[in-house]
Amino acid sequence: MDIRLAVKYSAQHVLTPFLRHGKRQRRVAIVHEVLPHERQVLGALLAAIDDTPGLDVTLTFDDGFVSSYEAIRSLEHRKAIFFVCPEYINRAECGNWEEFFHRNLWRTERLDDPALRDAVRPATWDQLRELVALGHTIGSHSMTHARLSSLRSRREREQEIRASADMIEDKLGTPVQDFAYPFGDIAGIDADAIDLVRQRYQRCFSGIRGNNHDTRDAFLQWRDTVHLYWTVSYSLFLLRGGFDGVYTRTRGRMARMVCTPRDL
């Protein structure tokens, strides 16, 4: 086992008794690709969430992988948000998606493992249309998965933020109201980008851990990354707020960036 993961599991063991049972938690979980052997893990996690009093979890999938489409399609009695990068989806049919996977998504894994390669291929526009017909939501994850805070021109930022939603709407014929900015950390966005997001969308999601139960600003939605190679008990520990205290200062900085004075 990776030493960092072993430390996290040890912290879970120490901190779990201090979690408040029944505390209202409105969480948003981030999932990326779903490998074949991880489908059962995802099902077990969703069952554990349903069995936990006071825990309400919205499931989101980032980037646009075909395995995410397959996982969402198989959900029963639950709706998900699929945050996609249109330029990655565009590459589903032309076959040159590997470069985007490595360069834009910053993924370093080799793709000679057939299971991984099949899982991280981009979904197609037809598959996204199918999800919309099933009642799921498609949101924007920017046009090319750019780090928005590193873009210096207004034109580049509008292309990533505004044009991405326009393209999704044009392709799917459904409103795009949700935006999850790439990378999700506080360094990945700034106040100018937030202003553009406010002009185009109804909600903005980060990748910063936190409870959305008392969140008053729709552009300040916290999310919890969940890796399906983790144990179900550890993922549930995170979704119950196990490490929220670590992100208190980061959430405060993000709130000062995002919120108008009357919201603070």
Side-chain angles (χ1 to χ4, degrees):
M1 180 186 298
D2 182 277
I3 184 64
R4 291 172 296 181
L5 190 55
V7 170
K8 291 176 181 179
Y9 287 170
S10 296
Q12 172 198 356
H13 179 74
V14 172
L15 295 175
T16 294
F18 296 96
L19 293 178
R20 290 170 53 189
H21 291 281
K23 178 183 178 181
R24 295 295 304 174
Q25 296 276 355
R26 188 167 65 85
R27 315 293 293 209
V28 181
I30 308 172
V31 180
H32 293 92
E33 71 274 10
V34 182
L35 297 173
H37 67 275
E38 294 175 336
R39 294 170 187 165
Q40 186 174 358
V41 178
L42 178 60
L45 175 59
L46 295 178
I49 290 170
D50 290 341
D51 289 340
T52 302
L55 182 58
D56 178 21
V57 177
T58 298
L59 200 59
T60 67
F61 292 78
D62 280 8
D63 299 332
F65 299 130
V66 69
S67 62
S68 299
Y69 149 77
E70 292 166 347
I72 296 170
R73 186 183 59 177
S74 66
L75 292 174
E76 297 181 0
H77 314 299
R78 188 184 299 269
K79 300 304 179 186
I81 307 175
F82 197 9
F83 289 107
V84 304
C85 300
E87 281 299 333
Y88 195 48
I89 305 302
N90 284 340
R91 296 179 181 226
E93 295 181 359
C94 62
N96 61 341
W97 56 268
E98 296 94 337
E99 179 187 9
F100 190 104
F101 176 79
H102 291 302
R103 185 183 64 187
N104 296 63
L105 302 183
W106 290 25
R107 297 288 295 264
T108 60
E109 301 97 319
R110 294 175 59 90
L111 291 174
D112 45 9
D113 177 355
L116 176 61
R117 184 180 181 83
D118 288 344
V120 300
R121 288 186 295 106
T124 68
W125 290 112
D126 282 342
Q127 289 170 334
L128 298 187
R129 292 185 190 99
E130 181 183 348
L131 295 183
V132 171
L134 291 172
H136 300 287
T137 299
I138 307 299
S140 172
H141 199 35
S142 82
M143 185 68 80
T144 68
H145 205 268
R147 185 174 286 277
L148 300 178
S149 57
S150 69
L151 302 179
R152 295 306 171 210
S153 77
R154 175 87 174 189
R155 180 181 177 183
E156 287 180 301
R157 291 177 176 225
E158 289 188 343
Q159 178 72 9
E160 293 292 337
I161 296 169
R162 185 187 301 275
S164 61
D166 293 345
M167 180 180 290
I168 296 170
E169 287 187 351
D170 181 64
K171 293 285 189 178
L172 304 182
T174 187
V176 176
Q177 301 179 333
D178 297 314
F179 184 79
Y181 67 89
F183 304 102
D185 57 2
I186 196 167
I189 200 164
D190 56 26
D192 290 339
I194 287 291
D195 286 343
L196 286 174
V197 173
R198 281 188 180 274
Q199 294 171 25
R200 180 59 179 80
Y201 299 88
Q202 298 298 314
R203 293 189 296 180
C204 181
F205 295 78
S206 73
I208 300 168
R209 297 192 186 280
N211 184 4
N212 292 295
H213 184 260
D214 297 319
T215 300
R216 292 177 293 174
D217 195 309
F219 294 85
L220 199 65
Q221 299 293 309
W222 316 118
R223 292 198 298 167
D224 296 275
T225 295
V226 172
H227 293 297
L228 297 177
Y229 56 77
W230 291 342
T231 64
V232 168
S233 65
Y234 179 68
S235 295
L236 194 65
F237 164 77
L238 294 174
L239 292 170
R240 292 180 59 206
F243 281 155
D244 280 6
V246 176
Y247 295 87
T248 300
R249 182 174 296 180
T250 303
R251 289 194 301 271
R253 289 175 57 201
M254 188 72 179
R256 289 189 291 274
M257 182 193 306
V258 171
C259 294
T260 59
R262 69 176 183 276
D263 293 326
L264 293 173

